[in-house]
């Protein structure tokens, strides 16, 4: 499976800036995209159409959504359904990003509902997991990861095809802080996730496990080379085409 290099733009960018960045990114990477890479852009909802016009139809470039509500349609003011996302060309969506868990109050159970529903509606899901600093200090990293995986994947079919699901390990203390997890911490967490996945899905060896948390052009190559690291999920450094293209092409 190709390494997935994903940009999470979070709540940044208005139309002109977003479309321009997507265009610049395409120009900077299209010709020399390594054969083992897939690029995923996850803009805010307001830019799905604009970025889609640049990305859709390009092999190895895909469009994703940061969030969705687990219903096909209905009276859910302010929410967006997987059906509407697919209609705009989204093939991926995030579930359980730490900012949604900790700022918007999403529970493990609700995240699990979303994972199941999004998959059923045909989106490929990236389930985000990761511990907070207090949990790491108390030695609870594996406990937290296990709980988030068990509840997040509770409704997933055991024989799910591996390209339909990815896990992003994003230690909360490394998000937006400039403090990247060390290689040993990353490998330990990813290896734990890989082994834990065996309980829920048959093709656990092929499910991609991405790392996220202060990934930058100068550390991306090293992180991507680690055992059980099958991609990266990038926040801040994905907002500029120049830095994100360096991550996409990082050796
Ligand atoms: P940063 O790359 O800004 O640390 O954000 C990581 C992240 O949350 C990606 O989803």
């Amino acid at each position: 499976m190709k390494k997935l290099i994903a940009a999470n733009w979070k709540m940044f960018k208005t139309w002109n800036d977003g479309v321009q960045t997507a265009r610049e990114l395409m120009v900077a990477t299209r010709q020399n995209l390594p054969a083992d890479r897939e690029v995923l852009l996850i803009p805010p909802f307001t830019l799905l159409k604009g970025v889609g016009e640049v990305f859709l139809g390009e092999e190895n470039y895909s469009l994703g959504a940061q969030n969705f509500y687990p219903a096909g349609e209905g009276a859910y003011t302010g929410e967006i359904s997987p059906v509407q996302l697919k209609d705009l060309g989204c093939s991926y969506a995030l579930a359980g990003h730490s900012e949604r868990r900790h700022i918007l109050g999403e529970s493990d159970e609700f995240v699990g509902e979303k994972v199941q529903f999004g998959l059923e509606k045909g989106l490929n899901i990236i389930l985000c997991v990761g511990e907070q600093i207090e949990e790491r200090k108390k030695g609870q990293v594996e406990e937290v990861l296990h709980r988030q995986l068990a509840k997040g994947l509770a409704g997933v079919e055991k024989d799910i095809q591996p390209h339909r699901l990815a896990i992003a390990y994003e230690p909360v203390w490394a998000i937006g802080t400039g403090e990247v997890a060390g290689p040993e911490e990353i490998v330990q967490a990813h290896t734990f996730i890989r082994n834990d996945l065996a309980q829920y899905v048959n093709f656990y060896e092929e499910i991609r496990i991405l790392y996220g948390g202060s990934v930058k052009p100068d550390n991306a190559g090293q992180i991507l080379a680690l055992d059980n690291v099958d991609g990266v999920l990038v926040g801040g450094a994905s907002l500029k085409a120049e830095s994100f293209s360096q991550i996409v092409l990082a050796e």
Side-chain angles (χ1 to χ4, degrees), residues 8 10 97 99 170 174-177 212-216 233-237:
N8 175 7
K10 308 190 180 185
H97 191 281
E99 286 146 19
E170 299 203 304
I175 295 180
T177 58
S214 298
V215 175
K216 307 280 179 229
L233 180 54
V234 187

Side-chain angles (χ1 to χ4, degrees), residues 36-53:
D36 70 338
R37 304 268 159 106
E38 179 185 345
V39 181
L40 170 62
L41 195 41
I42 311 175
F45 293 132
T46 49
L47 269 159
L48 284 172
K49 179 128 181 72
V51 169
E53 280 167 9

Side-chain angles (χ1 to χ4, degrees), residues 5-10 12-27 39-58 61-66 85 88-92 238-239 241 244:
I5 316 295
N8 175 7
W9 281 359
K10 308 190 180 185
F12 289 98
K13 291 193 183 291
T14 47
W15 183 269
N16 287 341
D17 176 26
V19 172
Q20 179 66 19
T21 305
R23 285 199 189 116
E24 287 171 12
L25 182 66
M26 190 57 80
V27 169
V39 181
L40 170 62
L41 195 41
I42 311 175
F45 293 132
T46 49
L47 269 159
L48 284 172
K49 179 128 181 72
V51 169
E53 280 167 9
V54 181
F55 263 49
L56 294 178
E58 295 282 348
Y61 289 78
S62 324
L63 186 64
Q66 296 173 20
L85 295 174
L88 283 177
C90 280
S91 44
Y92 286 87
S238 74
L239 293 170
F244 189 57

Side-chain angles (χ1 to χ4, degrees), residues 15-248:
W15 183 269
N16 287 341
D17 176 26
V19 172
Q20 179 66 19
T21 305
R23 285 199 189 116
E24 287 171 12
L25 182 66
M26 190 57 80
V27 169
T29 59
R30 186 81 203 95
Q31 297 307 321
N32 40 4
L33 186 69
D36 70 338
R37 304 268 159 106
E38 179 185 345
V39 181
L40 170 62
L41 195 41
I42 311 175
F45 293 132
T46 49
L47 269 159
L48 284 172
K49 179 128 181 72
V51 169
E53 280 167 9
V54 181
F55 263 49
L56 294 178
E58 295 282 348
E59 203 182 347
N60 297 317
Y61 289 78
S62 324
L63 186 64
Q66 296 173 20
N67 185 38
F68 58 91
Y69 190 78
E73 61 177 8
Y76 301 102
T77 301
E79 296 297 326
I80 306 269
S81 102
V83 178
Q84 294 168 320
L85 295 174
K86 288 211 70 186
D87 188 42
L88 283 177
C90 280
S91 44
Y92 286 87
L94 301 179
H97 191 281
S98 67
E99 286 146 19
R100 298 212 59 87
R101 292 177 190 268
H102 302 303
I103 304 173
L104 282 304
E106 291 192 5
S107 66
D108 293 326
E109 289 75 13
F110 186 56
V111 172
E113 237 185 277
K114 287 182 169 192
V115 171
Q116 179 178 1
F117 193 81
L119 286 170
E120 277 170 17
K121 290 293 170 194
L123 289 170
N124 302 328
I125 298 293
I126 302 174
L127 169 63
C128 304
V129 297
E131 81 286 358
Q132 302 188 71
I133 192 63
E134 302 75 34
E135 294 165 328
R136 175 164 282 272
K137 283 185 182 152
K138 286 192 224 151
Q140 296 170 338
V141 175
E142 297 188 351
E143 190 184 316
V144 170
L145 296 179
H146 171 69
R147 190 194 71 233
Q148 292 176 339
L149 288 169
K151 298 202 168 163
L153 301 176
V156 174
E157 306 273 345
K158 230 176 165 208
D159 64 351
I160 185 164
Q161 293 301 302
H163 71 277
R164 303 289 324 280
L165 182 68
I167 308 296
Y169 171 58
E170 299 203 304
V172 179
W173 47 273
I175 295 180
T177 58
E179 191 175 344
V180 65
E184 271 174 41
E185 290 166 322
I186 297 176
V187 170
Q188 243 176 25
H190 281 228
T191 306
F192 175 81
I193 291 168
R194 175 81 62 211
N195 294 332
D196 204 58
L197 277 176
Q199 297 170 58
Y200 323 111
V201 289
N202 294 336
F203 302 112
Y204 66 96
E205 285 171 314
E206 293 159 67
I207 302 274
R208 287 180 290 192
I209 306 175
L210 319 184
Y211 170 77
S214 298
V215 175
K216 307 280 179 229
D218 63 0
N219 60 26
Q222 188 200 12
I223 292 171
L224 283 164
L226 295 172
D227 277 352
N228 280 318
V229 175
D230 310 302
V232 284
L233 180 54
V234 187
S238 74
L239 293 170
K240 293 248 182 306
E242 193 189 346
S243 53
F244 189 57
S245 60
Q246 287 176 46
I247 294 172
V248 167

